[in-house]
Coordinates of all heavy atoms in Angstrom, one line a residue:
T23 N 169.3 85.6 110.6 CA 170.1 85.1 109.4 C 170.2 83.6 109.6 O 170.1 82.8 108.6 CB 171.4 85.8 109.3 OG1 171.2 87.3 109.1 CG2 172.2 85.2 108.2
E24 N 170.6 83.2 110.8 CA 170.8 81.7 111.0 C 169.5 80.9 110.7 O 169.6 79.8 110.2 CB 171.4 81.5 112.4 CG 172.8 81.9 112.6 CD 173.4 81.3 113.8 OE1 172.9 80.3 114.3 OE2 174.5 81.9 114.3
M25 N 168.4 81.4 111.2 CA 167.1 80.8 110.9 C 166.9 80.7 109.5 O 166.5 79.6 108.9 CB 166.0 81.5 111.6 CG 164.6 81.0 111.3 SD 163.2 82.1 111.7 CE 163.5 83.3 110.4
R26 N 167.0 81.8 108.7 CA 166.7 81.8 107.3 C 167.6 80.9 106.6 O 167.1 80.2 105.7 CB 166.9 83.2 106.8 CG 166.7 83.4 105.3 CD 167.0 84.7 104.7 NE 168.5 85.1 104.9 CZ 169.4 84.6 104.2 NH1 169.2 83.8 103.2 NH2 170.7 85.0 104.5
E27 N 168.9 80.8 106.9 CA 169.8 80.0 106.2 C 169.5 78.5 106.4 O 169.7 77.7 105.6 CB 171.2 80.3 106.6 CG 171.7 81.6 106.0 CD 173.1 81.9 106.3 OE1 173.8 81.3 107.1 OE2 173.7 82.9 105.7
W28 N 169.1 78.1 107.7 CA 168.8 76.8 108.0 C 167.6 76.4 107.2 O 167.5 75.3 106.6 CB 168.5 76.6 109.5 CG 168.5 75.1 109.9 CD1 168.9 74.0 109.2 CD2 168.1 74.7 111.2 NE1 168.8 72.9 110.0 CE2 168.3 73.3 111.2 CE3 167.6 75.3 112.4 CZ2 167.9 72.5 112.3 CZ3 167.3 74.5 113.5 CH2 167.5 73.1 113.4
I29 N 166.5 77.2 107.1 CA 165.3 76.9 106.4 C 165.6 76.8 104.9 O 165.1 75.8 104.2 CB 164.3 78.0 106.6 CG1 163.8 77.9 108.1 CG2 163.1 77.8 105.7 CD1 162.8 79.0 108.4
E30 N 166.4 77.6 104.4 CA 166.8 77.5 102.9 C 167.6 76.3 102.7 O 167.4 75.6 101.6 CB 167.5 78.8 102.5 CG 166.6 80.0 102.4 CD 167.4 81.2 102.0 OE1 168.6 81.1 101.5 OE2 166.8 82.4 102.2
Y31 N 168.5 75.9 103.6 CA 169.3 74.7 103.4 C 168.3 73.5 103.4 O 168.5 72.6 102.6 CB 170.3 74.6 104.6 CG 171.1 73.3 104.6 CD1 172.3 73.3 104.0 CD2 170.6 72.1 105.2 CE1 173.1 72.1 104.0 CE2 171.4 71.0 105.3 CZ 172.6 71.0 104.6 OH 173.4 69.8 104.6
L32 N 167.3 73.5 104.2 CA 166.4 72.4 104.2 C 165.4 72.3 103.0 O 165.2 71.3 102.5 CB 165.6 72.5 105.5 CG 166.2 72.1 106.9 CD1 165.4 72.8 108.0 CD2 166.3 70.6 107.0
T33 N 165.0 73.5 102.6 CA 163.9 73.5 101.6 C 164.1 74.0 100.3 O 163.2 73.9 99.4 CB 162.7 74.3 102.4 OG1 163.1 75.7 102.4 CG2 162.3 73.8 103.7
S34 N 165.2 74.7 100.0 CA 165.4 75.3 98.7 C 165.5 74.2 97.6 O 166.4 73.4 97.7 CB 166.6 76.2 98.7 OG 166.8 76.7 97.4
P35 N 164.8 74.4 96.5 CA 164.9 73.5 95.4 C 165.9 74.0 94.3 O 166.1 73.3 93.3 CB 163.5 73.4 94.9 CG 162.9 74.8 95.1 CD 163.6 75.3 96.4
G36 N 166.5 75.2 94.5 CA 167.2 75.9 93.5 C 168.6 75.6 93.4 O 169.0 74.5 93.8
E37 N 169.4 76.5 92.7 CA 170.8 76.3 92.6 C 171.6 77.2 93.4 O 172.8 77.6 93.2 CB 171.1 76.5 91.0 CG 170.5 75.5 90.1 CD 171.0 74.1 90.4 OE1 172.2 73.9 90.7 OE2 170.2 73.2 90.5
D38 N 171.0 77.8 94.5 CA 171.7 78.6 95.4 C 172.7 77.8 96.2 O 172.7 76.6 96.2 CB 170.7 79.3 96.4 CG 169.7 78.3 97.0 OD1 168.7 78.0 96.4 OD2 170.0 77.9 98.1
T39 N 173.6 78.5 96.8 CA 174.7 77.9 97.5 C 174.3 77.0 98.6 O 174.8 75.9 98.8 CB 175.6 79.0 98.1 OG1 176.2 79.8 97.0 CG2 176.8 78.4 98.9
L40 N 173.2 77.4 99.4 CA 172.8 76.5 100.4 C 172.1 75.2 99.9 O 172.3 74.1 100.5 CB 171.8 77.3 101.3 CG 172.4 78.4 102.2 CD1 171.3 79.3 102.8 CD2 173.2 77.7 103.4
A41 N 171.4 75.3 98.9 CA 170.8 74.1 98.2 C 171.9 73.2 97.8 O 171.9 71.9 97.9 CB 169.8 74.4 97.2
K42 N 172.9 73.7 97.2 CA 174.1 73.0 96.7 C 174.8 72.3 97.8 O 175.3 71.2 97.7 CB 175.0 73.8 95.9 CG 174.4 74.3 94.5 CD 175.4 75.1 93.7 CE 174.9 75.6 92.4 NZ 175.8 76.4 91.6
E43 N 174.9 73.0 98.9 CA 175.6 72.4 100.1 C 174.8 71.2 100.6 O 175.4 70.2 101.0 CB 175.7 73.5 101.2 CG 176.6 73.1 102.4 CD 176.8 74.1 103.5 OE1 176.1 75.2 103.4 OE2 177.6 73.9 104.3
R44 N 173.5 71.4 100.7 CA 172.7 70.2 101.1 C 172.9 69.0 100.2 O 173.0 67.9 100.6 CB 171.2 70.6 101.1 CG 170.3 69.5 101.6 CD 168.8 69.8 101.3 NE 168.5 69.8 99.9 CZ 168.0 70.8 99.1 NH1 167.7 71.9 99.7 NH2 167.8 70.6 97.8
R45 N 172.9 69.3 98.9 CA 173.1 68.2 97.9 C 174.5 67.5 98.1 O 174.7 66.3 98.1 CB 173.0 68.7 96.5 CG 171.6 69.1 96.2 CD 171.4 69.5 94.7 NE 170.1 70.0 94.5 CZ 169.8 71.3 94.3 NH1 170.8 72.2 94.2 NH2 168.6 71.7 94.1
A46 N 175.6 68.4 98.4 CA 176.8 67.9 98.6 C 177.0 67.0 99.9 O 177.8 66.1 100.0 CB 177.9 69.1 98.7
N47 N 176.0 67.3 100.8 CA 175.9 66.5 102.0 C 175.0 65.3 101.9 O 174.8 64.6 102.9 CB 175.5 67.4 103.2 CG 176.6 68.4 103.7 OD1 177.8 68.1 103.5 ND2 176.2 69.5 104.1
G48 N 174.6 64.9 100.7 CA 173.9 63.7 100.4 C 172.4 63.8 100.2 O 171.8 62.8 100.0
R49 N 171.8 65.0 100.2 CA 170.3 65.1 100.0 C 170.1 66.0 98.7 O 170.3 67.2 98.8 CB 169.7 65.7 101.2 CG 168.1 65.9 101.0 CD 167.4 64.6 101.0 NE 165.9 64.9 100.9 CZ 165.0 64.1 101.3 NH1 165.3 62.9 101.8 NH2 163.7 64.4 101.2
D50 N 169.6 65.3 97.7 CA 169.3 66.1 96.5 C 168.0 67.0 96.6 O 168.0 68.1 96.5 CB 169.2 65.1 95.3 CG 168.9 65.9 94.0 OD1 169.2 67.1 93.9 OD2 168.5 65.2 93.0
K51 N 166.9 66.2 96.8 CA 165.6 66.9 96.9 C 165.4 67.7 98.2 O 166.0 67.3 99.3 CB 164.5 65.9 96.8 CG 164.4 65.3 95.5 CD 163.2 64.3 95.4 CE 163.1 63.6 94.0 NZ 162.0 62.6 93.9

């Protein structure tokens, strides 16, 4: 689970929570 979430945080282009968290931390793409 931790691996999957880290990968999704890094690479997801969508509107899922992890992608939104990455954007909130300063990285849009």
Side-chain angles (χ1 to χ4, degrees):
T23 298
E24 288 194 18
M25 176 197 71
R26 178 187 61 79
E27 290 184 348
W28 195 12
I29 292 173
E30 289 181 14
Y31 178 91
L32 286 160
T33 65
S34 175
E37 293 301 317
D38 51 274
T39 298
L40 286 166
K42 289 180 178 179
E43 185 177 11
R44 182 192 69 239
R45 295 187 186 104
N47 287 331
R49 175 72 178 205
D50 182 21
K51 294 181 180 180

